[in-house]
């Protein structure tokens, strides 16, 4: 099974001459395997922070990739948010921060319908497979076009791999993956400084480095801490990450 797709009313009411192409796009997304594109959305151009666009000149289809809780895990859902003229204020010039501000309340208002839609779709079909686990022995290059400020590669050392294997629940692993996506999407963080971010019961500790010769941005994962672990295990993982 591919992505679950939810249409906002403005997309469903797109001009008739574009409707056929939108229906074809939705069908293609439903057939696309999310496991084959963990760092981008097929058929779309990335804007940042899980926002995407697709050109239908002179219009733009604006979409957001949401992770919706389902059966103890998370399911990727493509929300087609708006179908608007390229030069309209509703497009927000494709800026993800402005799109979040402009459409955030609309997405929040539709959250119950999106959740219900996901549940209805998955009752008819099995849930889409989770993205594959990172390869901890090799350099994992993220796919898709990336501005230079974003991470070009993640380095994950063996001790972090061992910590990851101690994440027994799918919800814990899904949260870890979501944090990695957030790190990849974020720009402007300090380099050569110890950084961390946390969500639910998972904390990731990392550092950003720049390769001057090629102007590449690298992220070194230094540790994973799960607050569901015993306190001594959490402290040990934190100490290892900060050595």
């Amino acid at each position: 099974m591919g992505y679950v797709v939810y249409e906002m009313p403005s997309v469903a009411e797109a001009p008739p001459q574009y409707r056929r192409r939108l229906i074809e796009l939705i069908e293609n997304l439903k057939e696309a395997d999310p496991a084959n594109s963990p760092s981008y959305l097929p058929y779309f151009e990335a804007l940042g922070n899980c926002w995407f666009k697709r050109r239908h000149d002179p219009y733009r289809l604006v979409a957001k990739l949401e992770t919706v809780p389902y059966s103890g895990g998370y399911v990727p859902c493509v929300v087609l948010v708006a179908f608007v003229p390229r030069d309209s204020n509703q497009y927000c010039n494709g800026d993800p921060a402005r799109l979040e501000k402009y459409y955030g309340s609309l997405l929040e208002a539709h959250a119950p319908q999106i959740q219900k839609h996901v549940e209805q779709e998955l009752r008819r079909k099995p849930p889409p497979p989770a993205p594959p686990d990172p390869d901890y022995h090799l350099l994992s290059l993220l796919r898709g076009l990336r501005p230079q400020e974003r991470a070009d590669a993640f380095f994950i050392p063996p001790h972090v791999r061992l910590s990851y294997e101690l994440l027994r629940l799918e919800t814990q692993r899904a949260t870890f993956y979501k944090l990695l996506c957030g790190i990849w999407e974020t720009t402007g963080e300090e380099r050569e400084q110890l950084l961390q971010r946390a969500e639910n019961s998972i904390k990731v500790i990392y550092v950003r480095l720049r390769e001057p010769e090629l102007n590449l941005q690298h992220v070194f994962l230094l540790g994973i801490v799960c607050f569901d672990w015993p306190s001594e295990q959490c402290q040990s993982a934190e100490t290892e990450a900060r050595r």
Side-chain angles (χ1 to χ4, degrees), residues 9-96:
S10 73
V11 179
E13 298 168 2
Q17 63 268 35
Y18 296 97
R19 188 62 195 160
R20 181 179 59 82
R21 280 187 278 171
L22 291 175
I23 292 173
E24 290 177 355
L25 171 66
I26 292 170
E27 293 304 315
N28 288 336
L29 286 169
K30 289 181 178 180
E31 295 297 325
D33 186 350
N36 291 333
S37 54
S39 61
Y40 65 96
L41 183 62
Y43 309 109
F44 283 84
E45 299 173 57
L47 297 172
N49 295 331
C50 297
W51 285 95
F52 298 84
K53 72 176 181 182
R54 180 177 169 86
R55 301 169 190 266
H56 291 275
D57 289 330
Y59 291 87
R60 293 292 183 269
L61 173 62
V62 179
K64 188 173 187 188
L65 183 59
E66 298 275 25
T67 51
V68 179
Y70 179 78
S71 189
Y74 291 89
V75 172
C77 177
V78 180
V79 181
L80 304 181
V81 179
F83 190 81
V84 294
R86 165 68 181 83
D87 57 357
S88 73
N89 292 334
Q90 296 164 298
Y91 180 57
C92 302
N93 203 30
D95 181 86

Side-chain angles (χ1 to χ4, degrees), residues 2-15:
Y3 293 91
V4 178
V5 182
Y6 179 86
E7 283 187 281
M8 291 289 191
S10 73
V11 179
E13 298 168 2

Side-chain angles (χ1 to χ4, degrees), residues 4-216:
V4 178
V5 182
Y6 179 86
E7 283 187 281
M8 291 289 191
S10 73
V11 179
E13 298 168 2
Q17 63 268 35
Y18 296 97
R19 188 62 195 160
R20 181 179 59 82
R21 280 187 278 171
L22 291 175
I23 292 173
E24 290 177 355
L25 171 66
I26 292 170
E27 293 304 315
N28 288 336
L29 286 169
K30 289 181 178 180
E31 295 297 325
D33 186 350
N36 291 333
S37 54
S39 61
Y40 65 96
L41 183 62
Y43 309 109
F44 283 84
E45 299 173 57
L47 297 172
N49 295 331
C50 297
W51 285 95
F52 298 84
K53 72 176 181 182
R54 180 177 169 86
R55 301 169 190 266
H56 291 275
D57 289 330
Y59 291 87
R60 293 292 183 269
L61 173 62
V62 179
K64 188 173 187 188
L65 183 59
E66 298 275 25
T67 51
V68 179
Y70 179 78
S71 189
Y74 291 89
V75 172
C77 177
V78 180
V79 181
L80 304 181
V81 179
F83 190 81
V84 294
R86 165 68 181 83
D87 57 357
S88 73
N89 292 334
Q90 296 164 298
Y91 180 57
C92 302
N93 203 30
D95 181 86
R98 291 172 58 190
L99 288 169
E100 190 68 45
K101 183 176 181 180
Y102 192 92
Y103 291 107
S105 58
L106 178 65
L107 287 165
E108 186 176 348
H110 278 259
Q113 294 98 307
I114 295 172
Q115 180 75 50
K116 183 178 179 181
H117 178 72
V118 168
E119 292 171 357
Q120 289 175 340
E121 288 291 302
L122 296 184
R123 286 193 197 105
R124 295 194 287 267
K125 304 175 183 177
D133 292 343
D135 184 341
Y136 296 94
H137 301 297
L138 299 173
L139 175 65
S140 295
L141 292 175
L142 296 180
R143 287 172 283 185
L145 296 176
R146 299 177 296 272
Q148 291 288 353
E149 310 86 58
R150 294 186 186 168
D152 291 281
F154 281 77
F155 289 89
I156 308 180
H159 76 274
V160 179
R161 179 188 183 187
L162 292 176
S163 295
Y164 175 82
E165 291 174 351
L166 295 175
L167 302 179
R168 305 299 187 190
L169 302 178
E170 286 301 318
T171 52
Q172 294 171 344
R173 293 191 173 199
T175 298
F176 172 71
Y177 176 76
K178 187 176 180 182
L179 288 170
L180 288 190
C181 290
I183 293 171
W184 177 71
E185 288 282 359
T186 300
T187 60
E189 286 189 318
E190 292 291 331
R191 291 194 291 267
E192 301 182 16
Q193 299 289 330
L194 204 62
L195 302 169
Q196 65 181 41
R197 61 177 63 202
E199 185 169 327
N200 299 329
S201 63
I202 305 299
K203 178 166 70 174
V204 176
I205 302 169
Y206 60 100
V207 64
R208 290 181 180 271
L209 298 174
R210 185 175 71 88
E211 184 179 335
E213 186 174 344
L214 299 177
N215 194 28
L216 298 177

